Amino acid sequence: RDAEGKKMSKSRGNVIDPLIMIDKFGCDAFRFTLAMLASQGRDILLSEERIEGSRNFVNKIWNAARLTLSLIQGVRGFKEESFVNDSPFLPDRWIVSRLQKVIKEVTDSIETYHFNEASISLYDFIWHEFCDWYLELIKPNLYGKVSGFNNEKTKETLLFTLTSILKLLHPFMPFITEEIYQMLPHREAESLVIERFPEVRENLVEEESEREMEVIKGVIETIRKIRGEVNIQPNVKVEAYLKADGRQELLLKYAPYIMELAKVKDIKFGEKEIKERCAIDVAYDVEIYIPLEDIIDVEREISRIEKEMRKLDEELEKIFKKMNNREFLGKAPPEVIEKNREIMEELKNKRLKLASSRKRLGALR
């Protein structure tokens, strides 16, 4: 069926030709889209936009592989079964531990024919954990900005993780995974198709490393959220003051990575260091204070937010009247009603975020 749930037919003009889609977006993207949408007992609602999204994922994998290959130059060869998760660098231990859990999720989903769940697990892990976090965290080390950790072990971890990702992804994207596999140094088989599928290794799971990594990610995400809410420009670096009882040693050790990913110029610890007129938030048990006095014009930003909120209120009023109009609800097709309902929820969520920003800035007056 099409994206609106209608049966495809030539008379409706909503048929999606697989051959045209493969020519336009590639076979791997089309195949992965079908896997993601293949939920048991439900029709596949297919659209060109969904296939395009999978094509973007293919591009993400290709770019991540190219970056990985550039970073692991000179890495020593090793047998995968002999790999040990003992890197002194926390993100190395974290990504390997997370990989083991993803291997279990994907294996269980494939064995029970839940191919959509397997593909979604892979999508989330590759895009949001491997690319968005791990690759960004290891760059300062491998580019020479930060020293003190074992870069050789990080390179081994990177190669081990990418190789495992290619094996997991191969049933869903056979062409790009084989192409990347042929570029890997020290590969163990002539072709990816005859490689053994990854198996969970419980000795590589590091629960404590995962918990510690969540704290670091939480601090970075919270600082990013504050920056977004008060509209701090991307090129402006801020100061951060942290109250981190019990977490200070961990955060101090990985402060350079927090500064790099959250665009922070300086991190200070302790209550005495905290200045007035700060945006305040909490990540786990870490209190985060971001001074704003010399960074933004508070009154001007409040004025901008209030203007945007008034505009949203007008749009919400219009769509609210429409959704409470019996004549409209009686005549409009179900998909149109659903689309309007989605728009209304989107506007409400946007207004809530603006209200949160307005409240945060109001406290700085």
Side-chain angles (χ1 to χ4, degrees):
R1 295 179 180 269
D2 67 12
E4 296 177 353
K6 295 178 181 176
K7 187 175 180 181
M8 291 186 185
S9 68
K10 289 181 180 179
S11 60
R12 284 199 177 104
N14 63 348
V15 174
I16 292 179
D17 189 326
L19 296 179
I20 294 175
M21 293 298 102
I22 289 170
D23 285 341
K24 189 171 182 179
F25 299 112
C27 185
D28 281 336
F30 188 68
R31 182 184 179 113
F32 191 76
T33 303
L34 294 179
M36 286 190 78
L37 299 176
S39 178
Q40 291 185 356
R42 294 179 58 186
D43 291 329
I44 291 178
L45 305 183
L46 192 60
S47 68
E48 189 169 321
E49 289 74 22
R50 290 180 183 272
I51 304 168
E52 185 178 7
S54 294
R55 192 272 310 275
N56 295 339
F57 182 47
V58 173
N59 289 341
K60 187 79 171 180
I61 294 165
W62 179 256
N63 291 333
R66 288 182 60 194
L67 174 62
T68 297
L69 292 168
S70 72
L71 294 174
I72 62 174
Q73 290 181 6
V75 66
R76 295 190 300 261
F78 60 91
K79 293 286 185 182
E80 286 191 35
E81 58 268 22
S82 64
F83 180 86
V84 180
N85 193 15
D86 61 352
S87 171
F89 188 50
L90 175 61
D92 288 342
R93 302 194 302 274
W94 166 74
I95 197 68
V96 173
S97 183
R98 285 292 305 127
L99 174 63
Q100 301 314 302
K101 294 181 179 179
V102 171
I103 290 171
K104 185 177 189 320
E105 290 172 11
V106 172
T107 302
D108 290 348
S109 296
I110 290 176
E111 289 178 349
T112 55
Y113 304 102
H114 291 96
F115 302 119
N116 62 314
E117 294 177 7
S119 55
I120 290 169
S121 292
L122 283 169
Y123 180 94
D124 289 341
F125 175 72
I126 294 168
W127 194 304
H128 300 302
E129 294 184 84
F130 181 69
C131 294
D132 286 354
W133 284 106
Y134 183 63
L135 289 180
E136 295 303 317
L137 285 163
I138 65 174
K139 282 180 183 178
N141 293 4
L142 300 183
Y143 286 157
K145 291 183 179 180
V146 181
S147 59
F149 292 102
N150 186 340
N151 285 353
E152 194 61 38
K153 190 64 183 180
T154 294
K155 289 181 180 181
E156 290 179 8
T157 302
L158 182 53
L159 177 58
F160 174 79
T161 305
L162 178 62
T163 304
S164 299
I165 284 172
L166 295 176
K167 293 177 183 179
L168 290 168
L169 197 56
H170 188 63
F172 303 94
M173 293 186 180
F175 298 104
I176 190 173
T177 50
E178 183 67 59
E179 182 71 19
I180 295 169
Y181 182 78
Q182 293 301 321
M183 301 178 188
L184 294 181
H186 316 298
R187 58 183 183 274
E188 296 183 7
E190 184 179 347
S191 172
L192 183 56
V193 75
I194 58 174
E195 274 272 26
R196 290 183 61 186
F197 199 74
E199 296 180 358
V200 179
R201 291 173 55 189
E202 295 294 342
N203 63 315
L204 299 184
V205 176
E206 290 269 346
E207 296 290 354
E208 182 59 26
S209 295
E210 290 190 38
R211 284 191 289 270
E212 289 182 344
M213 191 63 202
E214 286 304 311
V215 174
I216 293 172
K217 286 170 61 184
V219 170
I220 294 170
E221 287 172 336
T222 301
I223 295 173
R224 286 173 172 174
K225 184 181 77 170
I226 292 172
R227 293 179 63 103
E229 286 185 351
V230 299
N231 199 32
I232 298 173
Q233 296 303 309
N235 63 329
V236 176
K237 291 195 172 185
V238 300
E239 292 180 314
Y241 297 85
L242 307 181
K243 287 175 63 178
D245 298 336
R247 303 282 191 183
Q248 185 166 328
E249 184 179 350
L250 171 69
L251 295 173
L252 193 60
K253 185 177 182 180
Y254 290 95
Y257 308 93
I258 297 172
M259 292 166 68
E260 183 76 19
L261 271 64
K263 298 187 185 299
V264 173
K265 62 184 177 183
D266 191 22
I267 294 179
K268 296 180 180 178
F269 294 88
E271 196 168 353
K272 292 180 181 179
E273 298 285 351
I274 297 170
K275 296 181 180 180
E276 295 181 354
R277 294 173 66 85
C278 287
I280 306 167
D281 212 325
V282 178
Y284 295 92
D285 52 355
V286 180
E287 294 180 29
I288 301 166
Y289 300 79
I290 306 295
L292 299 175
E293 191 167 5
D294 300 323
I295 295 176
I296 63 168
D297 184 331
V298 173
E299 295 301 328
R300 184 176 178 182
E301 187 60 23
I302 287 176
S303 177
R304 183 192 69 81
I305 290 173
E306 288 177 344
K307 182 178 179 182
E308 185 68 20
M309 289 175 69
R310 286 194 295 271
K311 184 179 175 183
L312 284 173
D313 286 339
E314 291 174 5
E315 293 179 29
L316 276 167
E317 187 178 357
K318 289 178 184 177
I319 200 164
F320 184 77
K321 286 180 179 178
K322 184 187 287 187
M323 293 301 292
N324 282 277
N325 186 321
R326 291 184 179 180
E327 187 176 351
F328 168 77
L329 294 175
K331 293 182 178 179
E335 59 270 17
V336 173
I337 295 172
E338 183 60 30
K339 184 70 175 176
N340 276 272
R341 189 173 285 115
E342 289 175 3
I343 292 171
M344 186 165 68
E345 287 303 313
E346 186 179 327
L347 292 171
K348 284 180 180 178
N349 290 334
K350 189 175 181 180
R351 196 190 186 287
L352 282 172
K353 289 179 180 178
L354 287 172
S356 174
S357 300
R358 170 67 180 80
K359 183 178 179 181
R360 188 188 292 278
L361 287 167
L364 300 175
R365 278 176 161 170

